Amino acid sequence: MVDIRVVGARDRQKQEFTEEISNLVCPGDVITTDTGFMRGHGTYMEDEKLHASVAGVVERVNKLICVKPLKTRYNGEVGDVVIGRIIEVGQKRWKVDTRSKLDSILMLSSVNLPGGELRRRSEEDEKMMRNYLKEGDLISAEVQSVFSDGALSLHTRSLKYGKLAQGTIIQVSPSLIKRRKTHFHTLPCGATIILGNNGSVWISATMNEETEQTGGYEQDLEPVSKGDREVIARLRNCVIALSEHQMMLYDTSVLYSYEESLRFNVKDILKPEIMTEIIENTQPRLESLGT
């Protein structure tokens, strides 16, 4: 049976969920006529009035006013968790695509050596770089510093970071990822989710803690069971549903939407009316928690 739908139906249902945001501005809108405020990112002065230069949400910190764009490339900050793909192996460094304005850099000195050895990197380590990480590998890492041109320097020194395998990746807007103390979550449904600050979400089956001696380089390529694949697919569709309705992504919102989706088949979750029903049931639960 073929499921044929009208394109405009999905847009109409999404519009019902658009919340009124009082501090939403468009380019050229006057934010304030008070000259006592300082001009921040996304603003400009004209005729002694502060105007918005981008479409976004006005944020005030004391006397500083800035506009946070609704859609923008990822701007990294120190401490951010990111998911990226190795695109080039260079001299004592890897170049990583993290969906930011410039390619990120992962230095050989910023990774764990196999077995967790703590020593200076030698010429032999440089020759073995492709054995650690090669082009096309997907990794999780943390932003160590930001260069003057905006490029990011990454590190994977913690055992929770490293090469990713046997899962699925979803790309959403970085503005939808809620900043939390941790972005690595093991959900009770039997899956692990990494919510990268750069808008990349990684979902995989929960693995046993056997990576202590691998330095994050070895991939478990054992076949994933059908039950785990179904959980991963359901979580993926729930993340897509949340992002389609511009809802913030964090462990609680993903878990609640997963629980609300259990009444439906995995393949049906992305149907507009079912997607809307899941979000309608998820929102009150999140609001009751005050999140």
Side-chain angles (χ1 to χ4, degrees), residues 29 34 48 53 57 87 107 114 143 153 195-197 218 229 272:
D29 285 357
D34 188 348
E48 296 189 354
S53 61
V57 179
I87 55 174
M107 299 296 294
V143 178
S153 175
L195 299 166
N197 290 105
E218 288 188 15
R229 291 202 305 272

Side-chain angles (χ1 to χ4, degrees), residues 5-21:
R5 293 164 183 278
V6 180
V7 176
R10 190 167 183 171
D11 292 335
R12 283 198 298 274
Q13 286 171 331
K14 283 170 64 177
Q15 285 170 5
E16 294 172 7
F17 267 92
T18 306
E19 297 179 4
E20 287 293 327
I21 305 175

Side-chain angles (χ1 to χ4, degrees), residues 27-83:
D29 285 357
V30 177
I31 300 171
T32 181
T33 56
D34 188 348
T35 55
F37 286 100
M38 293 191 296
R39 185 171 64 85
H41 291 295
T43 64
Y44 66 95
M45 289 293 293
E46 188 177 276
D47 300 330
E48 296 189 354
K49 295 177 184 176
L50 191 63
H51 296 258
S53 61
V54 294
V57 179
V58 178
E59 292 185 345
R60 289 181 171 86
V61 180
N62 297 328
K63 287 289 184 179
L64 177 69
I65 294 182
C66 58
V67 178
K68 185 179 180 182
L70 294 176
K71 285 191 176 180
T72 180
R73 277 256 180 195
Y74 167 62
N75 288 314
E77 296 179 17
V78 175
D80 280 359
V81 173
V82 297
I83 295 169

